[in-house]
């Protein structure tokens, strides 16, 4: 029997607090990321030769920097920790799907909802930090005060869309593989697993980019970026 | 499709912790390292540009120095070539002058030797001529000639010049004076008497005459006082001839030498 959500596998429960598979694997991903980060940065070298891990992380961070730079049209330093962590977490969580017995936390609606809520709150926080409370609130009434309800609805709907999009993709992949295992258990699941890995990376990219777009659009007066970027997903 | 609210809260906290940890352990150190590397690269690029600039300047300086050295070398080469040419010309001139001087000396020496030989030859020729003439005339002297000589002498006595006559008179004024008549042969007594008569007439009183024979005269008669000498003999001719020849040779030799000296000076 395939469990549809890792939330349902509870290892330890005490009242309201329950340590389920989602949390445990999240910790595992976190531990792996933090260990690799610590392991890599504990002896960074400025001059060649550079270690493989440092090279990998520098490439990743450089790529993320350039992406954020492209979206925000400003220095990416402010947004990199949040957007970069979103990408790294989702990417590694999905990548580890190839490990037997592991189930990605992103196939839990709770995790994707948690990430979407983080984005939901990050938008006003970055916006206020960038433009002040008045400046941030002003753009809800632009171009007309009549647009205020739509802006508010938009804020909630895109947060929900963000959460459900990632969850749907990751959950569907898990479910598809589970179903295919019962029908054609020999060859097809491997191909779908490969496809799943690809989808996982694509979703990580999409989630991180959209989060960045939302945050940047709230911090900037240039709303055009948001409209241009929302269409493709 | 249920949502576990505790899991949501836990995941939010987990995510924020992860953001914090990655920011601390990953982003900041890696970005710092990348920035530092970029700074170093920029610095190195600037250094490299500076060094390229300096190298360019250095190259230009070296090129200029090389050009100067080449110019200097060329100049020195031209100068030394000119000096060598001048030196060669000088040395050639000196050598030529020395050679010419040597040739001139040699010619002068040759000329002197030639003149010396010629002079000696002439002198000897003269002496030989003199000796041959003397011998020939001695051989030719015979009685007929002697008679002829005596006739000539007597005629000469008669044709004496006024000054000679006065001198003889003056000579005989002092008493006891003797005139010597020398001849290469014995004068016959008759002829002696003629001579005595002639002299007596000339002096106007008795005179003494001493007759001597002298082979040095070769052929002839000579009457002599301390102041005058009257007579005819071949020896005097030959002495005159010898003296004339000697003088002519001397004049000729000195003339030749002068000519060669003049040539040398030219």
């Amino acid at each position: 029997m395939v469990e549809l959500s890792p939330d349902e596998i509870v290892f330890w429960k005490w009242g309201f607090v329950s340590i389920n598979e989602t949390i445990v694997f999240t910790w595992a991903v976190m531990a792996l990321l933090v260990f690799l980060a610590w392991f890599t940065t504990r002896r960074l070298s400025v001059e060649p030769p550079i270690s493989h891990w440092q090279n990998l992380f520098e490439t990743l961070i450089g790529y993320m920097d350039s992406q954020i730079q492209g979206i925000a049209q400003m220095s990416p330093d402010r947004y990199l920790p949040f957007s970069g962590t979103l990408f790294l977490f989702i990417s590694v969580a999905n990548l580890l799907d190839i490990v037997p017995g592991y189930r990605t936390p992103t196939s839990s609606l709770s995790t994707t909802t948690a990430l979407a809520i983080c984005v939901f709150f990050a938008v006003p926080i970055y916006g206020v930090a960038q433009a002040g409370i008045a400046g941030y609130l002003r753009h809800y009434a632009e171009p007309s005060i009549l647009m205020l309800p739509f802006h508010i609805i938009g804020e909630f709907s895109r947060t929900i869309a963000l959460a459900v999009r990632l969850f749907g993709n990751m959950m569907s992949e898990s479910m598809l593989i589970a179903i295919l295992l019962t029908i054609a258990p020999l060859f097809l699941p491997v191909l779908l697993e490969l496809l799943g890995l690809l989808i996982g990376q694509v979703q990580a990219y999409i989630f991180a980019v959209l989060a960045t777009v939302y945050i940047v659009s709230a911090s900037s007066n240039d709303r055009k970026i948001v409209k241009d970027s929302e269409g493709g997903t | 499709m249920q949502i576990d609210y505790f899991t949501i809260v836990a995941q939010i906290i987990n995510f924020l912790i992860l953001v914090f940890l990655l920011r601390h352990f990953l982003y900041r150190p890696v970005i710092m390292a990348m920035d530092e590397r970029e700074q170093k690269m920029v610095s190195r690029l600037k250094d490299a540009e500076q060094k390229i600039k300096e190298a360019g300047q250095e190259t230009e300086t070296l090129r200029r120095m090389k050009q100067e050295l080449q110019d200097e070398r060329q100049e020195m080469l031209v100068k030394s070539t000119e000096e060598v040419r001048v030196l060669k010309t000088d040395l050639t001139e000196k050598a030529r002058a020395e050679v010419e001087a040597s040739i001139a000396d040699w010619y002068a020496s040759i000329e002197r030797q030639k003149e010396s030989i010629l002079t000696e030859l002439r002198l000897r020729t003269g002496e030989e001529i003199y000796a041959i003439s003397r011998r020939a005339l001695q051989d030719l002297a015979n009685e007929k000639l002697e008679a002829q000589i005596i006739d000539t002498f007597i005629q000469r006595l008669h044709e004496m010049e006024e000054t000679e006559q006065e001198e003889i008179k003056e000579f005989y004024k002092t008493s006891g004076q003797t005139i010597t008549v020398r001849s290469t042969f014995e004068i016959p007594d008759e002829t002696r008497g003629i001579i005595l008569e002639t002299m007596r007439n000339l002096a106007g009183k008795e005179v003494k005459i001493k007759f001597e024979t002298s082979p040095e005269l070769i052929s002839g008669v000579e009457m002599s006082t301390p102041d005058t000498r009257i007579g005819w003999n071949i020896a005097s001719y030959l002495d005159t001839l010898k003296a004339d020849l000697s003088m002519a040779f001397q004049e000729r030799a000195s003339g030749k030498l002068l000519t060669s000296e003049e040539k040398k000076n030219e």
Side-chain angles (χ1 to χ4, degrees):
Chain A
M1 181 65 195
V2 177
E3 297 290 341
L4 292 181
S5 171
D7 290 358
E8 292 169 14
I9 300 170
V10 178
F11 294 116
W12 183 77
K13 188 172 173 65
W14 184 68
F16 181 68
V17 178
S18 63
I19 305 301
N20 53 34
E21 199 179 55
T22 305
I23 294 172
V24 170
F25 285 135
T26 300
W27 286 345
V29 170
M30 286 169 66
L32 181 65
L33 275 172
V34 172
F35 171 76
L36 286 176
W38 167 81
F39 179 77
T40 304
T41 57
R42 109 197 120 102
R43 43 184 175 197
L44 283 173
S45 68
V46 176
E47 302 288 336
I50 298 170
S51 70
H52 298 311
W53 285 110
Q54 184 183 345
N55 209 349
L56 174 68
F57 278 116
E58 280 190 8
T59 308
L60 277 171
I61 290 169
Y63 180 70
M64 291 189 290
D65 255 10
S66 68
Q67 287 294 313
I68 297 166
Q69 175 90 41
I71 293 164
Q73 302 293 320
M74 63 174 80
S75 171
D77 295 348
R78 180 191 292 266
Y79 309 108
L80 179 66
F82 188 80
S83 300
T85 307
L86 274 177
F87 175 74
L88 283 178
F89 175 71
I90 298 166
S91 173
V92 172
N94 293 347
L95 200 62
L96 289 175
D97 217 10
I98 54 166
V99 177
Y102 170 86
R103 289 189 66 190
T104 174
T106 51
S107 62
S108 154
L109 187 58
S110 304
T111 305
T112 56
T113 305
L115 295 177
I117 288 167
C118 286
V119 175
F120 179 79
F121 284 105
V123 170
I125 289 169
Y126 275 102
V128 169
Q130 178 73 20
I133 294 173
Y136 171 70
L137 291 176
R138 195 179 300 126
H139 85 261
Y140 279 103
E142 286 177 353
S144 162
I145 192 70
L146 292 172
M147 294 298 288
L148 181 63
F150 300 105
H151 278 305
I152 293 167
I153 293 166
E155 290 289 335
F156 285 101
S157 67
R158 75 187 184 192
T159 304
I160 293 163
L162 208 57
V164 173
R165 184 188 298 112
L166 180 59
F167 162 73
N169 276 289
M170 299 322 295
M171 184 273 290
S172 65
E173 188 235 336
S174 300
M175 199 158 75
L176 201 60
I177 290 169
I179 293 163
L180 275 172
L181 277 171
T182 59
I183 302 167
L186 284 177
F187 185 65
L188 214 51
V190 178
L191 293 176
L192 278 170
E193 191 73 30
L194 286 171
L195 183 65
L197 286 174
L198 180 65
I199 290 169
Q201 298 309 305
V202 170
Q203 288 306 316
Y205 175 78
I206 288 167
F207 197 101
V209 166
L210 283 179
T212 309
V213 168
Y214 297 153
I215 292 165
V216 169
S217 67
S219 316
S220 155
N221 291 327
D222 186 6
R223 310 286 294 178
K224 189 171 174 289
I225 304 167
V226 184
K227 287 170 185 169
D228 288 348
S229 305
E230 274 182 333
T233 57
Chain B
M1 232 45 70
Q2 59 179 351
I3 292 176
D4 183 9
Y5 294 104
F6 173 76
T7 306
I8 291 172
V9 173
Q11 290 293 70
I12 289 170
I13 293 167
N14 283 338
F15 179 73
L16 293 177
I17 290 169
L18 185 63
V19 169
F20 173 78
L21 288 175
L22 287 186
R23 185 180 174 179
H24 181 75
F25 285 112
L26 187 64
Y27 302 124
R28 194 177 293 170
V30 170
I31 284 173
M32 278 173 70
M34 287 165 76
D35 286 349
E36 194 177 341
R37 186 180 303 127
E38 196 176 327
Q39 289 291 330
K40 282 193 174 181
M41 283 168 72
V42 168
S43 163
R44 279 178 189 170
L45 279 173
K46 278 184 183 170
D47 282 355
E49 279 175 12
Q50 181 66 26
K51 279 178 182 168
I52 287 169
K53 199 176 169 186
E54 286 174 5
Q57 288 173 347
E58 190 72 16
T59 307
E60 181 60 27
T61 308
L62 286 173
R63 195 191 61 74
R64 205 181 304 121
M65 280 173 70
K66 189 182 167 191
Q67 186 62 40
E68 283 174 3
L69 280 173
Q70 278 181 345
D71 290 350
E72 202 173 326
R73 179 172 160 272
Q74 190 65 30
E75 197 177 326
M76 282 172 76
L77 200 65
V78 169
K79 197 177 169 187
S80 57
T81 308
E82 181 60 23
E83 281 177 0
V84 165
R85 196 186 63 75
V86 169
L87 187 65
K88 188 183 166 189
T89 310
D90 285 354
L91 286 175
T92 309
E93 286 297 320
K94 273 186 185 174
R96 188 177 291 142
E98 282 177 10
V99 168
E100 282 177 357
S102 297
I103 289 169
D105 286 347
W106 184 69
Y107 272 125
S109 172
I110 293 286
E111 196 68 26
R112 275 197 299 274
Q113 284 179 12
K114 194 173 89 180
E115 288 304 323
S116 169
I117 289 165
L118 281 175
T119 307
E120 195 176 350
L121 192 66
R122 281 171 190 143
L123 285 171
R124 285 202 178 182
T125 307
E127 281 173 5
E128 284 299 316
I129 289 167
Y130 173 71
I132 289 164
S133 303
R134 189 182 180 92
R135 179 167 289 180
L137 288 168
Q138 273 180 343
D139 291 346
L140 287 172
N142 53 18
E143 285 181 0
K144 210 173 178 179
L145 181 66
E146 284 170 4
Q148 186 66 37
I149 289 167
I150 285 167
D151 286 345
T152 306
F153 179 67
I154 290 166
Q155 193 177 348
R156 176 84 177 81
L157 283 178
H158 287 297
E159 292 172 359
M160 265 197 300
E161 293 176 5
E162 286 291 325
T163 52
E164 288 173 334
Q165 289 178 8
E166 286 301 316
E167 280 175 4
I168 287 168
K169 282 178 186 171
E170 198 65 29
F171 178 71
Y172 279 116
K173 275 181 183 172
T174 310
S175 60
Q177 292 290 353
T178 305
I179 285 177
T180 308
V181 175
R182 290 185 294 138
S183 60
T184 50
F185 48 88
E186 195 68 36
I187 300 171
D189 289 339
E190 188 187 349
T191 309
R192 286 187 184 187
I194 295 168
I195 292 168
L196 270 170
E197 184 62 31
T198 306
M199 292 306 290
R200 195 181 296 131
N201 292 336
L202 189 65
K205 63 176 186 180
E206 198 64 36
V207 294
K208 288 179 184 174
I209 295 174
K210 186 184 172 186
F211 292 97
E212 288 178 359
T213 55
S214 174
E216 288 86 15
L217 295 174
I218 303 171
S219 181
V221 178
E222 182 184 85
M223 185 191 78
S224 63
T225 65
D227 295 327
T228 189
R229 179 174 292 185
I230 299 162
W232 184 92
N233 62 69
I234 290 173
S236 67
Y237 282 121
L238 288 176
D239 285 343
T240 308
L241 173 68
K242 187 180 177 184
D244 288 350
L245 278 173
S246 181
M247 188 174 286
F249 291 157
Q250 288 298 330
E251 281 176 1
R252 185 77 181 273
S254 62
K256 285 277 182 186
L257 281 173
L258 190 67
T259 311
S260 64
E261 285 292 325
E262 282 170 0
K263 279 181 186 170
K264 189 180 169 184
N265 287 337
E266 284 171 6

